[in-house]
Amino acid sequence: MSTKTHFNSESPILEVKNLQTAFEIDGELHNAVDNVSFNVKPKQIIGVVGESGCGKSVMSLSVMKLLPKGIGSIRGGEVIFEGKNIENLSDKDMNKIRGKDVSMIFQEPMTSLNPVFTIGYQLQETLFNHMAITKKEARLKSISLLKSVGISRPEKIIDEYPHQLSGGMRQRVMIAIAIACQPKLLIADEPTTALDVTVQAQILDLLRDIQEINNMAIILITHDLGVVAEMCDEVIVMYAGKIVERTDVDTLFHNPKHPYTELLMGAIPKMDEDVEVLSSIEGIVPSLKNMPKIGCRFANRCPKAMPECKSISPLLAETEAGHEVSCLLYESSMPNEGANVR
Ligand SMILES: Nc1ncnc2c1ncn2[C@@H]1O[C@H](COP(=O)(O)OP(=O)(O)OP(=O)(O)O)[C@@H](O)[C@H]1O
Ligand SMILES: [Mg+2]
């Protein structure tokens, strides 16, 4: 039951505005997420893609206010969840929202379940944190949650420990914990990467079913464009801490504009090839310390780079309705470089 009178279902559930998240390395601040803006509407599934090190996890941890304390911090911009700027929320208030209104499935499922507690304990802990229910009710609800994520014999599994379960089962448990309080937004960071293809498909089907039943929005982070095609409404392509392209899923696949996106598309492996997805773009994502200070961060790997790409920083701009690209190829004229946001 919501008491938030200012929020209606047409508003975005999440607004990220010019988010800058920095890590301190050798006494200097480096932005791992740099000027990122996007909205998530209720029930929308937004895919976030980009190679390793592009800032996908740091972006999600920023939204959850779960950055490693003293190491990473939000340095600029705003994260607004259901109309509330999370910067202004105390740890206590954030704890009330986290797990209840917004949940996250972390990239490393093996490390996010606590090995010393039973599955039931960990599920019930989440329920007790957010609901006024008895022990007996919590146990029954946990069993029904485990059942809802396709775990057979939930009455037995509830008393087992994480190491007694397969990777797929652990991931289902993670999902059960994440959806226990029917969040309005789920951030799923590579929810299926560690799993084999069949289990992967089952978990994605499960997420979609839950999304429909619970009317929840999902930010789905993945290396796998096949997953994006199957699951997402909109896609954000990140490169070196920035959004380089954002559009609906059909446009992304049929009319990609940024050369990085085009290369990602070309990097989709064929079904029968057992190769790492996104492995075939030459070069690597720059580390935070080696980030180009001006110009397009992709310029030195870009097959379409022009001389000015190394000196003029492109801005993310709408090239047509609902399609944003950050590339000089699509900018007719640029003001002087000093005026640009890096
Ligand atoms: N705790 C940290 N301290 C310093 N730098 C960090 C830390 N965590 C992440 N980074 C840096 O921030 C950048 C973004 O990392 P992030 O983990 O968000 O990438 P990612 O897109 O999630 O990659 P992957 O696909 O491998 O999960 C990288 O350059 C990474 O090295
Ligand atoms: Mg990550």
Side-chain angles (χ1 to χ4, degrees):
M1 207 76 40
S2 175
T3 53
K4 294 146 197 149
T5 47
H6 302 301
F7 187 75
N8 69 61
S9 61
E10 299 311 308
S11 319
I13 189 158
L14 176 74
E15 296 164 78
V16 176
K17 296 183 184 169
N18 305 320
L19 177 68
Q20 288 188 313
T21 302
F23 287 102
E24 190 175 327
I25 304 168
D26 299 336
E28 271 184 30
L29 287 173
H30 296 270
N31 281 347
V33 171
D34 201 0
N35 233 4
V36 160
S37 303
F38 64 94
N39 288 346
V40 183
K41 295 185 206 112
K43 301 179 215 170
Q44 199 174 30
I45 306 188
I46 296 207
V48 182
V49 299
E51 291 162 292
S52 193
C54 281
K56 306 182 296 296
S57 295
V58 173
M59 185 268 286
S60 351
L61 294 173
S62 310
V63 169
M64 295 294 289
K65 242 184 159 179
L66 285 176
L67 291 163
K69 283 215 159 68
I71 305 171
S73 57
I74 295 180
R75 292 277 153 181
E78 291 174 339
V79 175
I80 296 169
F81 183 73
E82 289 196 302
K84 282 186 279 183
N85 188 338
I86 64 159
E87 195 187 337
N88 303 329
L89 297 179
S90 63
D91 285 354
K92 197 170 153 223
D93 286 340
M94 198 61 210
N95 279 336
K96 277 191 208 154
I97 290 179
R98 219 186 283 121
K100 181 169 171 288
D101 296 319
V102 49
S103 299
M104 181 157 172
I105 303 173
F106 293 91
Q107 192 164 1
E108 280 98 32
M110 311 308 165
T111 53
S112 12
L113 284 172
N114 192 327
V116 304
F117 294 116
T118 62
I119 300 303
Y121 180 93
Q122 298 186 56
L123 259 167
Q124 287 161 37
E125 200 184 23
T126 304
L127 296 172
F128 288 139
N129 276 344
H130 299 293
M131 294 175 182
I133 51 173
T134 64
K135 262 187 151 177
K136 195 173 167 204
E137 286 166 341
R139 186 172 171 90
L140 286 175
K141 185 154 174 61
S142 299
I143 290 173
S144 95
L145 277 164
L146 289 175
K147 206 181 271 174
S148 77
V149 296
I151 288 184
S152 49
R153 297 177 301 115
E155 300 83 358
K156 180 166 178 293
I157 298 295
I158 193 169
D159 294 318
E160 292 190 349
Y161 290 86
H163 73 266
Q164 293 173 276
L165 310 184
S166 68
M169 295 261 277
R170 278 194 284 246
Q171 196 59 314
R172 285 172 195 269
V173 170
M174 288 298 304
I175 294 172
I177 293 174
I179 62 158
C181 302
Q182 301 196 318
K184 294 163 201 144
L185 173 65
L186 174 71
I187 303 181
D189 192 355
E190 304 274 0
T192 58
T193 305
L195 307 171
D196 72 51
V197 178
T198 322
V199 181
Q200 193 172 352
Q202 290 167 359
I203 298 280
L204 291 174
D205 282 348
L206 173 67
L207 274 180
R208 206 179 0 223
D209 289 349
I210 296 167
Q211 185 260 342
E212 272 173 25
I213 295 165
N214 291 3
N215 280 331
M216 119 189 128
I218 303 181
I219 297 177
L220 180 62
I221 298 170
T222 177
H223 279 91
D224 190 335
L225 287 163
V227 170
V228 169
E230 229 175 89
M231 298 281 293
C232 300
D233 307 312
E234 254 189 48
V235 190
I236 288 169
V237 182
M238 284 186 77
Y239 185 77
K242 286 184 171 290
I243 294 181
V244 295
E245 185 156 7
R246 179 156 63 91
T247 186
D248 66 89
V249 74
D250 281 344
T251 308
L252 188 93
F253 281 89
H254 296 113
N255 186 21
K257 286 205 147 98
H258 199 287
Y260 181 60
T261 316
E262 290 177 328
L263 285 171
L264 287 185
M265 296 295 171
I268 301 177
K270 297 203 176 67
M271 289 302 278
D272 55 352
E273 280 177 32
D274 186 20
V275 292
E276 175 82 356
V277 181
L278 311 187
S279 62
S280 58
I281 305 177
E282 255 179 55
I284 52 163
V285 180
S287 68
L288 297 187
K289 283 183 89 170
N290 294 319
M291 209 56 85
K293 295 269 183 287
I294 55 162
C296 171
R297 294 177 175 186
F298 188 57
N300 64 347
R301 297 174 75 191
C302 181
K304 296 185 177 173
M306 307 173 287
E308 58 269 38
C309 294
K310 293 209 172 168
S311 56
I312 301 176
S313 309
L315 299 171
L316 187 66
E318 204 162 45
T319 56
E320 48 203 69
H323 195 166
E324 293 181 348
V325 186
S326 165
C327 176
L328 292 191
L329 286 171
Y330 302 96
E331 286 183 35
S332 43
S333 66
M334 290 299 303
N336 68 63
E337 67 199 53
N340 281 319
V341 180
R342 270 192 288 115

